[in-house]
Amino acid sequence: MKIFAIGDLHLGHTVDKPMDIFGPQWKDHAGQIAENWRERVLDTDLVLVPGDVSWAMRFEEAEEDLQWLDRLPGRKVLLKGNHDYWWPSISRLRDHIRGTSLFALQYDAITIGGASVGGTRLWTMPDLEIPYEDPLEIPSTEGQGASAMPPDEKIFRRELGRLKLSLESMGREAGLRIVMTHFPPTDESGKDTALTRLLETYGVDLCVFGHLHNLGLPRGRTWDFVKKGVRYVLASCDSVDFAPYFLAEIPDIQEG
Ligand SMILES: [Fe+2]
Ligand SMILES: [Fe+2]
């Protein structure tokens, strides 16, 4: 089984949201993605989609985008991004996509073909240097002092707790342990953060994220580096040239 990632599809089959206002490279971006996808991905493969799936505001409006994704080859794992307003409750979404090639993740984990995939959306980091000595000591967002906390930091801390929840539910025996986040857990230098320490502590092999756009990276050169045993890959669709980005190949294990 080959594993790929491509995030920030920003699909808009039912909403009028042309993406080429962000640059000529975005022209018919969904068409480019579909063509590249069909060239690379087989039905037995796995494609990770770390957030910003659709521009739809309501669940019903996202239906066409979800069907479009389902028709593409491979099994796909979706994560909610900051623009996915259409994303309903996880139980409603899972009921809806049951039996399709789509899977949804919400600060839990699923195992597909020997790879365990966990993840949460995250948020902008209040400060990359945020000094949490022990990554397992997730600071509380309740009680004394919480009301004085800037809203961004409150959301960030809640997401840190959700990441921990997800890491704890990941399959211990999996051949590959992958975490998807929408917001990046670190910067392009792999700077040490509360999030990177958490990923290291839980023995994550690979962390895939998106959200960042139009970084002006040289063609075909996204962030892809290993820091303290964890590989970090930026897979927003424009960073990976609108093509599913190859991450790894592992023997496919059929779940019982
Ligand atoms: Fe995005
Ligand atoms: Fe985003």
Side-chain angles (χ1 to χ4, degrees):
M1 175 179 82
K2 283 186 178 167
I3 305 171
F4 298 84
I6 182 163
D8 298 83
L9 304 179
H10 287 289
L11 300 172
H13 289 98
T14 49
V15 293
D16 185 25
K17 204 92 177 176
M19 290 296 285
D20 50 0
I21 54 164
F22 299 108
Q25 70 275 27
W26 283 91
K27 190 155 178 55
D28 185 27
H29 76 292
Q32 293 185 58
I33 291 168
E35 194 182 331
N36 291 326
W37 192 307
R38 290 182 194 284
E39 274 171 15
R40 289 162 176 77
V41 181
L42 299 177
D43 265 336
T44 46
D45 293 337
L46 176 63
V47 184
L48 309 175
V49 182
D52 284 359
V53 179
S54 166
W55 279 119
M57 297 296 286
R58 292 180 298 111
F59 188 35
E60 298 71 35
E61 288 173 350
E63 177 61 19
E64 222 174 294
D65 296 332
L66 293 176
Q67 285 180 6
W68 179 90
L69 260 177
D70 183 40
R71 285 194 297 271
L72 290 172
R75 296 167 278 186
K76 304 96 182 173
V77 183
L78 313 181
L79 180 81
K80 184 181 182 177
N82 58 312
H83 286 294
D84 289 313
Y85 294 106
W86 60 273
W87 190 283
S89 69
I90 191 67
S91 55
R92 185 172 174 209
L93 179 55
R94 284 184 176 151
D95 276 351
H96 189 77
I97 60 180
R98 185 163 297 126
T100 71
S101 62
L102 307 177
F103 300 83
L105 206 57
Q106 189 152 291
Y107 38 94
D108 48 9
I110 48 174
T111 300
I112 297 180
S116 181
V117 186
T120 187
R121 185 196 61 188
L122 295 187
W123 196 241
T124 39
M125 263 177 275
D127 178 357
L128 272 176
E129 309 250 22
I130 200 157
Y132 302 146
E133 283 304 319
D134 179 355
L136 304 184
E137 282 282 308
I138 307 298
S140 172
T141 56
E142 310 295 330
Q144 223 187 359
S147 55
M149 200 182 284
D152 274 351
E153 180 159 353
K154 213 167 168 175
I155 301 172
F156 175 79
R157 289 182 182 215
R158 190 189 64 201
E159 285 294 317
L160 199 59
R162 288 176 169 177
L163 177 60
K164 187 182 167 199
L165 214 61
S166 169
L167 289 164
E168 281 180 349
S169 60
M170 286 176 78
R172 306 252 167 220
E173 307 304 321
L176 199 63
R177 292 160 64 78
I178 307 174
V179 162
M180 278 206 282
T181 63
H182 179 60
F183 286 81
T186 182
D187 66 8
E188 73 270 41
S189 71
K191 193 168 183 133
D192 189 45
T193 69
L195 300 164
T196 60
R197 291 198 288 279
L198 205 49
L199 298 174
E200 290 158 20
T201 303
Y202 279 87
V204 168
D205 298 298
L206 191 56
C207 178
V208 185
F209 49 93
H211 184 65
L212 303 176
H213 292 294
N214 291 4
L215 292 180
L217 297 164
R219 253 191 106 87
R221 294 276 300 279
T222 190
W223 301 0
D224 184 348
F225 56 83
V226 177
K227 201 80 185 239
K228 295 187 182 167
V230 183
R231 181 176 166 202
Y232 295 92
V233 176
L234 167 64
S236 55
C237 71
D238 56 310
S239 305
V240 295
D241 279 335
F242 304 95
Y245 187 80
F246 175 71
L247 296 172
E249 182 162 13
I250 60 168
D252 198 347
I253 299 162
Q254 296 305 316
E255 287 99 48

